[in-house]
Every structure is written in structure tokens, then in C-alpha cells.
Amino acid sequence: MAPSKTLFCVPSVAKTPEEMAGDMAAAAAIGADVVELRLDCLSSLQPRSDLERLLTYRPLPALVTYRPKWEGGEYDGDDETRLEVLLLAVQLGADYVDVEFKVGEKFLNLISGKKPENVKLIISSHNYEMTPSVEELGNLAASIQSLGADIVKIVTTANDISDVSRMFQLIVHSQEKQVPIIGLVMKERGIISRLVCPKFGGYLTFGALNKGKESAPGQITGSELLNVYRIREIGPDTKVFGIIGKPVGHSKSPNLHNEAFRSVGFNAVYVPYLVDDLSSFLNTYSSPDFAGFSCTIPHKEAAVTCCDEVDPIAKAIGAVNTIIRRPSDGKLIGYNTDYIGAISAIEDGIAGYRVKDAAVSPLAGRLFVVIGAGGAGKALAYGAKAKGAKVIIANRTYERAKELANLIGGHALTLAELENYHPEEGMILANTTSIGMHPNVNDTPLSKQALKHYAVVFDAVYTPKVTRLLRESGESGANVVSGLEMFIRQAMGQFELFTGLTAPESLMRDIVMRST
């Protein structure tokens, strides 16, 4: 039988037995349930003395693995010697011993009648090329179980994130048959298998002690598993949210949303999805378990056509950054909280204080200049227009500015023309380009001389926190609004769509400020 909760195992890939003993203590200190002793990683091994010492003084249950090179490990000797060492581990009372499926029958013959009742035998199969079909995975699991495994372990490789879905299906099927199974998928596209397996009933997941001490591609640290993704709290009823992107590994959103979920007691986990094809991904992860998604580059435009329904302004902008699976019918509903985040921050900047539930936006009737005609420029232009502002689009390429201005009923300028454009005082400026972003911190889209005509200046760039544009705007007397405001507020909007609860604003601000 599988444990009531998925176990958390720390692998030790130490080079000496002494270092391995240190890893065991460190694993116990961070709260691991099991430590894996990767004997094949040791530079030298005196089987009886080293194993006896390690197992006698183990501070937590030990899993002994001696992985050969032909199965992705470091051991390059003969199998007979290797299996004798694993037999010794069994006799010395290791809690778990892992042996490869290809030599499973030979090992079972070797340990026949010599296996203590409390030693669990893991029979494992690793595929470093791909993830087979659900049927093939099921057949493999049945073959492993029929050999006499106490625990079935199947590890495959993700070439596409949809591969992980097949592993989840295998785990669920094994759970129904009451077969304990470790089912994991390697590489970055497979990371979610390590995070979400507790929801489906996987027996065990691995987390490295530190970066650089991974025992498989795509393995994250134990600290992240416990503190960011809170795997101890994930169960069958946990909702799964996440950020869809390519790349996505750099995203701070998992830290932000998981801590926010925890603070309000919302039973959910937020994970990174490295997605190549959005439509394929959404079709694959179509169950109610996957309740909503953040959407970032390069999938925001594709999300408009992948959703069943799209909020009117998000449709007009042509970009969706939030997808909710409607519980009543499972349909995907698309929203754009980017423009809401930026516009609300600019409204507050105009007033100099928070405007809450105002009947008329402080943007109404104001001249609102947007620099940039890309996705972010489009979002700001539509958002400002919806609030009643008179919108001007300025762009290096006039044709692109004109195209967007025609779409929203505004006017177009080149950046050169914007230098001397001031039909009125107290205008609002929103830079949506990457001008001034690190490392080009000395660049700015508009001269300091031109900035004196603006009352409020917003910069979507937030690395650095204070761009040259914001610094010079402040020196010219304008109220300045950082791109961090847009990021925080769009995340708050997403949180409220995900949960139906009020976002914990002060906490979310604190998290963002700590991580930037």
C-alpha cells in the first residue's frame, strides 16, 4: 500500500561515505522522509564497512541505489558484483533497495529467502529518450509488479509537457489497483511531475539538497518542494494553477501565488508549465484538476483563440494573460489583467492617492500618450480609451503607431515628433517599450526637456526599479509609476480570478519587493 502522503526523498550523490553521512544529516534537518544513497556516485566503496556504518547510524529511512551506466548511473563494473552489494544492503536492513527492471529477476533469485519483511524492493525502469504511450506504460508497470516489486518505479523523459499527463494517468490507474508507484518525468518540461504527483498519489518524489546535487535532469531542490510548492499539503482536492510560458524557469509567479494561496488558506498549488504548443497543452490538461493558468510570452496572443470565451477588452487587445476553467461547464475563459494593473496604477498616480470605485476615471478626458505599439502598448491604449482618455500612440515606426491608433480611434506620432508635442500641460505618459531595461539603463524614450509637460509618467520596465525615464520624470515634477506596480496589480487580478477572494495586497507587494 502507498503511504497516505507522498514521501519526500533527498538523493545523496556524494563522492565519499563521510560526505554521504553528512548529506543524510542535512536531509533529516530539512525534513526529508527518506534519503537515497547513490552508491554509484562514490569514488570508492568498501561495501560492508561503508554500508554498515551508513545504515547503522542513519537518521531517517534509507533507500540504497547502485545505478549502472547502462541505466543512467555512474557504476561501470559487472552486474554480479553490483547485485551482491545490493543484497548486502537488503541483509543489513536498508528500508528500500532499488534495482533495475532489466536485472530484476536475477536479483529476486539472489535475495530469495534473504529479504527481511521491513525491506521494500523498488524495481525501476528509466527511459532517457521519451515517454511511451499510456498503454505501454501500463504494460511496463504490470510487468514490473509481476516480478515481485513492492514498489514500481517508472521514470521517463519529457519532450513535450503533454508527456507528463500520461504519467499522471499511470499513477491514478496504479492507485486504483492499489499498486504503490513512483512515476516521474525528467527534464524541465517534466518538472510538474515532481510537484503535482502528491495530488494523484505518487509514492515518492525527489528533491536535491542544493542546486548542483541533483540525481536526475529537472530535479529541483527539496527546499523549493517544501517551502515554495508545499508538497506536504497537496492532496486529491488540491487545485492546480500555473504559468504557461517559454521560457518559464525565471518566473517569480510560483513564489508569489503559492505564498498568497497559503496566506488565505486556499487549497491550491501554482506551478511552472514550459509549453511549446498552447492548444495542445490546453487540450491535454483539460480536467477540472487544472483550474486556471497565467499566460506569458510567447502565448498571450494564441490564448485568445484557444479560449472558449474571452473578455471583450482582452479580445480587443488581442492578448490574454489569465485563463480560468469555469467550474460549471469546464469552458476556458480568457482575461487580461495586464491592462487593468497598469491603468489602475496610473489612475492612482494621477490622483496622488488611491482611487477606489470612482464613478468616473481620473483618466477621462485626459491626453494619454502611449510609447510603443506592441502587445503592451495595445493593452494600455485600449485600457486608457475604455476609461475615456484621448489616446496618442508614439512609435519609432510610424506605420505601426498609425495602425494601432486607427484601431482604437486615437492619433499617431513618431518618437521624434513626440519630443516637441505638448498641446496641453498635465499629460500622461506610458512607456511600454523595453527602452531603458537592464543592461541598457542609460537609455530613455524621451528627453528630460520633453518630460516637463507630463503630470504622470508610467514605465512598464521594472529592471531597474527606477529607470532613467522615471528618475528624470520625477526630477521634472511628474508623479511616477513603476512597472512593478503593473506586475503586482496584474498578479492581484489573477489571484482574485483564481480564488474568488480578495488578494492579500500587502503580502504580495512584500514578496515582489523581496524578489526584485
Side-chain angles (χ1 to χ4, degrees), residues 257-312:
H257 283 288
N258 282 313
E259 197 167 337
F261 288 161
R262 180 200 54 76
S263 74
V264 300
F266 186 67
N267 184 12
V269 63
Y270 185 101
V271 300
Y273 295 114
L274 177 56
V275 171
D276 300 287
D277 183 279
L278 181 62
S279 177
S280 170
F281 169 80
L282 293 173
N283 287 333
T284 300
Y285 294 89
S286 59
S287 81
D289 295 317
F290 300 92
F293 311 94
S294 305
C295 206
T296 190
I297 296 170
H299 299 303
K300 291 184 182 185
E301 289 76 22
V304 176
T305 57
C306 290
C307 290
D308 298 298
E309 297 175 20
V310 177
D311 175 76

Coordinates of all heavy atoms in Angstrom, one line a residue, residues 257-312:
H257 N 2.3 33.4 -6.0 CA 1.0 32.9 -5.9 C 0.9 31.8 -4.8 O -0.1 31.7 -4.1 CB 0.5 32.4 -7.2 CG 0.0 33.5 -8.1 ND1 -1.1 34.2 -8.0 CD2 0.6 34.0 -9.3 CE1 -1.3 35.1 -8.9 NE2 -0.2 35.0 -9.7
N258 N 1.9 31.0 -4.7 CA 1.9 29.9 -3.7 C 1.9 30.5 -2.3 O 1.1 30.0 -1.4 CB 3.1 28.9 -3.9 CG 2.8 27.9 -5.0 OD1 1.7 27.4 -5.1 ND2 3.8 27.8 -5.8
E259 N 2.7 31.6 -2.1 CA 2.7 32.2 -0.7 C 1.3 32.9 -0.5 O 0.8 32.9 0.6 CB 3.8 33.2 -0.6 CG 4.1 33.5 0.8 CD 5.4 34.2 1.1 OE1 6.4 34.1 0.2 OE2 5.6 34.9 2.1
A260 N 0.8 33.5 -1.5 CA -0.5 34.2 -1.4 C -1.6 33.1 -1.1 O -2.5 33.4 -0.3 CB -0.8 35.0 -2.6
F261 N -1.6 32.0 -1.8 CA -2.6 30.9 -1.6 C -2.5 30.5 -0.1 O -3.5 30.3 0.6 CB -2.3 29.7 -2.5 CG -2.7 29.9 -3.9 CD1 -2.1 29.1 -4.9 CD2 -3.5 30.9 -4.4 CE1 -2.4 29.2 -6.2 CE2 -3.8 31.0 -5.7 CZ -3.3 30.2 -6.6
R262 N -1.3 30.3 0.3 CA -1.1 29.8 1.7 C -1.7 30.8 2.7 O -2.3 30.4 3.7 CB 0.4 29.6 2.0 CG 0.7 29.1 3.4 CD 2.2 29.3 3.8 NE 2.5 30.7 3.6 CZ 2.2 31.7 4.4 NH1 1.4 31.5 5.5 NH2 2.6 32.9 4.2
S263 N -1.4 32.1 2.5 CA -1.8 33.1 3.4 C -3.3 33.2 3.7 O -3.8 33.6 4.7 CB -1.3 34.5 3.0 OG -2.1 35.0 1.9
V264 N -4.1 32.8 2.6 CA -5.6 32.8 2.8 C -6.2 31.5 3.0 O -7.4 31.3 3.0 CB -6.2 33.5 1.6 CG1 -5.7 35.0 1.4 CG2 -6.0 32.8 0.3
G265 N -5.3 30.4 3.1 CA -5.8 29.1 3.3 C -6.5 28.5 2.1 O -7.4 27.6 2.3
F266 N -6.1 28.9 0.9 CA -6.7 28.3 -0.3 C -6.0 27.1 -0.7 O -4.7 27.1 -0.9 CB -6.6 29.4 -1.4 CG -7.4 29.1 -2.7 CD1 -8.7 29.0 -2.7 CD2 -6.6 28.9 -3.9 CE1 -9.4 28.7 -3.9 CE2 -7.3 28.6 -5.0 CZ -8.7 28.5 -5.1
N267 N -6.7 26.0 -0.9 CA -6.0 24.7 -1.2 C -5.7 24.6 -2.7 O -6.5 24.1 -3.5 CB -7.0 23.6 -0.8 CG -6.4 22.2 -1.0 OD1 -5.1 22.1 -1.2 ND2 -7.2 21.1 -0.9
A268 N -4.5 25.1 -3.0 CA -4.1 25.1 -4.4 C -2.6 25.2 -4.5 O -1.9 25.6 -3.5 CB -4.7 26.3 -5.1
V269 N -2.0 24.7 -5.6 CA -0.6 24.9 -5.9 C -0.4 25.5 -7.3 O -1.3 25.4 -8.1 CB 0.1 23.5 -5.8 CG1 -0.4 22.6 -6.9 CG2 1.6 23.6 -6.0
Y270 N 0.6 26.3 -7.4 CA 0.9 27.1 -8.6 C 2.2 26.7 -9.2 O 3.2 26.8 -8.5 CB 0.8 28.6 -8.3 CG 0.9 29.5 -9.5 CD1 -0.2 30.1 -10.0 CD2 2.2 29.8 -10.0 CE1 -0.1 31.0 -11.1 CE2 2.3 30.7 -11.1 CZ 1.2 31.3 -11.6 OH 1.3 32.2 -12.7
V271 N 2.3 26.2 -10.4 CA 3.5 25.5 -10.9 C 3.9 26.1 -12.3 O 3.1 26.8 -12.9 CB 3.2 24.0 -11.1 CG1 2.8 23.3 -9.8 CG2 2.1 23.7 -12.2
P272 N 5.2 25.9 -12.7 CA 5.6 26.4 -14.0 C 5.3 25.4 -15.1 O 5.6 24.2 -14.9 CB 7.1 26.6 -13.8 CG 7.5 25.6 -12.8 CD 6.3 25.4 -11.9
Y273 N 4.7 25.8 -16.2 CA 4.5 25.0 -17.3 C 5.3 25.5 -18.5 O 5.1 26.6 -19.1 CB 3.0 25.1 -17.8 CG 2.0 24.6 -16.8 CD1 1.1 25.4 -16.2 CD2 1.9 23.2 -16.5 CE1 0.1 25.0 -15.3 CE2 0.9 22.7 -15.6 CZ 0.0 23.6 -15.0 OH -1.0 23.2 -14.2
L274 N 6.3 24.7 -18.9 CA 7.1 25.0 -20.1 C 6.4 24.5 -21.3 O 6.4 23.2 -21.5 CB 8.5 24.5 -20.0 CG 9.4 24.7 -21.2 CD1 9.6 26.1 -21.6 CD2 10.8 24.1 -21.0
V275 N 5.7 25.3 -22.1 CA 4.8 24.9 -23.1 C 5.3 25.3 -24.5 O 5.6 26.5 -24.7 CB 3.4 25.5 -22.8 CG1 2.4 25.3 -24.0 CG2 2.8 24.9 -21.5
D276 N 5.3 24.4 -25.4 CA 5.6 24.6 -26.8 C 4.4 25.0 -27.6 O 4.5 25.9 -28.4 CB 6.3 23.4 -27.4 CG 7.6 23.1 -26.6 OD1 8.6 23.8 -26.8 OD2 7.6 22.1 -25.9
D277 N 3.3 24.3 -27.5 CA 2.1 24.5 -28.3 C 0.9 24.7 -27.3 O 0.6 23.7 -26.6 CB 1.9 23.3 -29.2 CG 0.7 23.5 -30.1 OD1 -0.5 23.3 -29.6 OD2 0.8 23.9 -31.2
L278 N 0.4 25.9 -27.2 CA -0.6 26.2 -26.2 C -1.9 25.3 -26.4 O -2.5 24.8 -25.5 CB -1.0 27.7 -26.3 CG -2.1 28.1 -25.3 CD1 -1.6 27.9 -23.8 CD2 -2.4 29.6 -25.5
S279 N -2.4 25.2 -27.7 CA -3.6 24.5 -27.9 C -3.5 23.0 -27.5 O -4.4 22.5 -26.8 CB -3.9 24.6 -29.4 OG -5.1 23.8 -29.7
S280 N -2.4 22.4 -27.8 CA -2.1 21.0 -27.4 C -2.1 20.9 -25.9 O -2.7 19.9 -25.4 CB -0.8 20.5 -28.0 OG -0.4 19.3 -27.5
F281 N -1.4 21.8 -25.3 CA -1.3 21.8 -23.8 C -2.7 21.9 -23.2 O -3.1 21.1 -22.3 CB -0.5 22.9 -23.3 CG -0.5 23.1 -21.8 CD1 0.2 22.3 -21.0 CD2 -1.3 24.1 -21.3 CE1 0.1 22.5 -19.6 CE2 -1.4 24.3 -19.9 CZ -0.7 23.5 -19.1
L282 N -3.5 22.8 -23.6 CA -4.9 23.0 -23.0 C -5.8 21.8 -23.3 O -6.6 21.5 -22.4 CB -5.5 24.3 -23.5 CG -4.8 25.6 -23.1 CD1 -5.4 26.8 -23.8 CD2 -4.9 25.8 -21.5
N283 N -5.6 21.2 -24.5 CA -6.4 20.1 -24.8 C -6.0 18.9 -23.9 O -6.9 18.0 -23.6 CB -6.3 19.7 -26.3 CG -7.1 20.7 -27.2 OD1 -8.0 21.3 -26.7 ND2 -6.6 20.8 -28.4
T284 N -4.7 18.8 -23.6 CA -4.2 17.6 -22.8 C -4.6 17.8 -21.3 O -5.1 16.8 -20.7 CB -2.7 17.5 -22.9 OG1 -2.4 17.4 -24.3 CG2 -2.2 16.4 -22.1
Y285 N -4.4 19.0 -20.8 CA -4.7 19.2 -19.4 C -6.1 19.9 -19.3 O -6.3 21.0 -18.9 CB -3.6 20.1 -18.8 CG -2.3 19.4 -18.7 CD1 -1.4 19.5 -19.8 CD2 -2.0 18.6 -17.6 CE1 -0.2 18.8 -19.8 CE2 -0.8 17.9 -17.6 CZ 0.1 18.0 -18.7 OH 1.3 17.3 -18.7
S286 N -7.1 19.1 -19.6 CA -8.5 19.6 -19.7 C -9.4 19.2 -18.6 O -10.6 19.5 -18.6 CB -9.1 19.1 -21.0 OG -9.1 17.6 -21.1
S287 N -8.8 18.5 -17.6 CA -9.7 18.1 -16.4 C -9.9 19.2 -15.5 O -9.1 20.2 -15.4 CB -9.0 16.9 -15.7 OG -8.0 17.3 -14.8
P288 N -10.9 19.2 -14.6 CA -11.1 20.2 -13.6 C -10.0 20.4 -12.6 O -9.9 21.4 -11.9 CB -12.4 19.7 -12.9 CG -13.1 18.8 -13.9 CD -12.0 18.1 -14.6
D289 N -9.1 19.4 -12.5 CA -8.0 19.5 -11.6 C -7.1 20.7 -12.0 O -6.5 21.3 -11.1 CB -7.1 18.2 -11.7 CG -7.8 16.9 -11.2 OD1 -8.5 17.0 -10.2 OD2 -7.7 15.9 -11.9
F290 N -7.0 21.0 -13.3 CA -6.2 22.1 -13.7 C -7.1 23.3 -13.9 O -7.7 23.5 -15.0 CB -5.5 21.7 -15.0 CG -4.6 20.5 -14.8 CD1 -5.0 19.2 -15.0 CD2 -3.3 20.7 -14.3 CE1 -4.2 18.1 -14.7 CE2 -2.5 19.6 -14.0 CZ -2.9 18.3 -14.2
A291 N -7.2 24.1 -12.9 CA -8.3 25.1 -12.7 C -8.0 26.4 -13.4 O -9.0 27.2 -13.6 CB -8.6 25.3 -11.2
G292 N -6.8 26.8 -13.6 CA -6.5 28.1 -14.2 C -5.1 28.3 -14.5 O -4.2 27.6 -14.0
F293 N -4.8 29.3 -15.4 CA -3.4 29.5 -15.9 C -3.1 31.0 -16.0 O -4.0 31.7 -16.4 CB -3.3 28.8 -17.3 CG -3.8 27.4 -17.3 CD1 -5.0 27.1 -17.8 CD2 -2.9 26.4 -17.0 CE1 -5.5 25.8 -17.8 CE2 -3.4 25.0 -17.0 CZ -4.7 24.8 -17.5
S294 N -1.9 31.3 -15.7 CA -1.4 32.6 -16.1 C -0.7 32.3 -17.5 O -0.2 31.2 -17.7 CB -0.3 33.1 -15.2 OG -0.8 33.2 -13.9
C295 N -0.7 33.3 -18.3 CA -0.2 33.1 -19.7 C 0.8 34.2 -20.0 O 0.5 35.4 -19.9 CB -1.3 33.2 -20.7 SG -1.0 32.2 -22.2
T296 N 2.1 33.8 -20.3 CA 3.1 34.9 -20.6 C 3.7 34.6 -22.0 O 3.2 33.7 -22.7 CB 4.1 34.9 -19.5 OG1 5.0 36.1 -19.7 CG2 5.0 33.7 -19.4
I297 N 4.7 35.3 -22.3 CA 5.4 35.2 -23.6 C 5.8 33.8 -23.9 O 6.3 33.2 -23.0 CB 6.6 36.2 -23.7 CG1 6.2 37.7 -23.5 CG2 7.4 36.0 -24.9 CD1 7.3 38.6 -23.3
P298 N 5.5 33.2 -25.1 CA 5.0 33.9 -26.3 C 3.5 33.5 -26.6 O 3.1 33.5 -27.7 CB 5.9 33.3 -27.4 CG 6.1 31.9 -26.9 CD 6.1 31.9 -25.4
H299 N 2.8 33.1 -25.6 CA 1.5 32.5 -25.8 C 0.3 33.4 -25.6 O -0.9 33.0 -25.7 CB 1.3 31.3 -24.9 CG 2.4 30.2 -25.1 ND1 2.5 29.6 -26.3 CD2 3.3 29.7 -24.3 CE1 3.5 28.7 -26.2 NE2 4.0 28.8 -25.0
K300 N 0.5 34.7 -25.2 CA -0.7 35.6 -24.9 C -1.6 35.8 -26.1 O -2.8 35.8 -25.9 CB -0.2 36.9 -24.4 CG 0.5 36.9 -23.1 CD 0.8 38.3 -22.6 CE 1.5 38.3 -21.3 NZ 1.8 39.6 -20.7
E301 N -1.1 35.9 -27.3 CA -1.9 36.1 -28.5 C -2.7 34.8 -28.8 O -3.9 34.8 -29.1 CB -1.1 36.6 -29.7 CG -0.6 38.0 -29.5 CD 0.6 38.2 -28.6 OE1 1.3 37.2 -28.3 OE2 0.7 39.3 -28.0
A302 N -1.9 33.7 -28.8 CA -2.6 32.4 -29.1 C -3.7 32.1 -28.1 O -4.7 31.4 -28.5 CB -1.5 31.3 -29.1
A303 N -3.6 32.5 -26.9 CA -4.6 32.2 -25.9 C -5.9 32.8 -26.2 O -7.0 32.2 -25.8 CB -4.1 32.8 -24.5
V304 N -6.0 33.9 -27.0 CA -7.3 34.5 -27.4 C -8.1 33.4 -28.2 O -9.3 33.3 -28.0 CB -7.0 35.8 -28.2 CG1 -8.4 36.3 -28.7 CG2 -6.3 36.8 -27.4
T305 N -7.4 32.7 -29.1 CA -8.1 31.8 -30.0 C -8.3 30.4 -29.3 O -9.2 29.6 -29.7 CB -7.4 31.6 -31.3 OG1 -6.1 31.1 -31.0 CG2 -7.3 32.9 -32.1
C306 N -7.5 30.2 -28.2 CA -7.7 28.9 -27.5 C -8.8 28.9 -26.5 O -9.2 27.8 -26.0 CB -6.3 28.5 -26.9 SG -5.0 28.1 -28.1
C307 N -9.2 30.0 -26.1 CA -10.3 30.1 -25.0 C -11.7 30.0 -25.7 O -11.9 30.4 -26.8 CB -10.2 31.4 -24.3 SG -8.7 31.5 -23.2
D308 N -12.6 29.4 -24.9 CA -14.0 29.3 -25.4 C -14.7 30.7 -25.4 O -15.5 31.0 -26.2 CB -14.7 28.3 -24.5 CG -14.1 26.9 -24.5 OD1 -14.1 26.3 -25.6 OD2 -13.7 26.4 -23.5
E309 N -14.3 31.5 -24.4 CA -14.9 32.8 -24.3 C -13.8 33.8 -23.8 O -12.9 33.4 -23.1 CB -16.0 32.9 -23.2 CG -17.2 32.1 -23.6 CD -18.3 32.1 -22.4 OE1 -18.2 33.0 -21.6 OE2 -19.1 31.1 -22.4
V310 N -13.8 35.0 -24.3 CA -12.8 36.0 -24.0 C -13.4 37.3 -23.6 O -14.3 37.8 -24.3 CB -11.8 36.2 -25.2 CG1 -10.8 37.3 -24.9 CG2 -11.1 34.9 -25.6
D311 N -12.9 37.9 -22.5 CA -13.4 39.2 -22.0 C -13.3 40.2 -23.2 O -12.3 40.2 -23.9 CB -12.5 39.6 -20.9 CG -12.8 41.0 -20.4 OD1 -13.9 41.2 -19.7 OD2 -12.0 41.9 -20.7
P312 N -14.3 41.1 -23.4 CA -14.3 41.9 -24.6 C -13.0 42.8 -24.8 O -12.5 42.9 -25.9 CB -15.5 42.8 -24.4 CG -16.4 42.0 -23.5 CD -15.5 41.2 -22.7

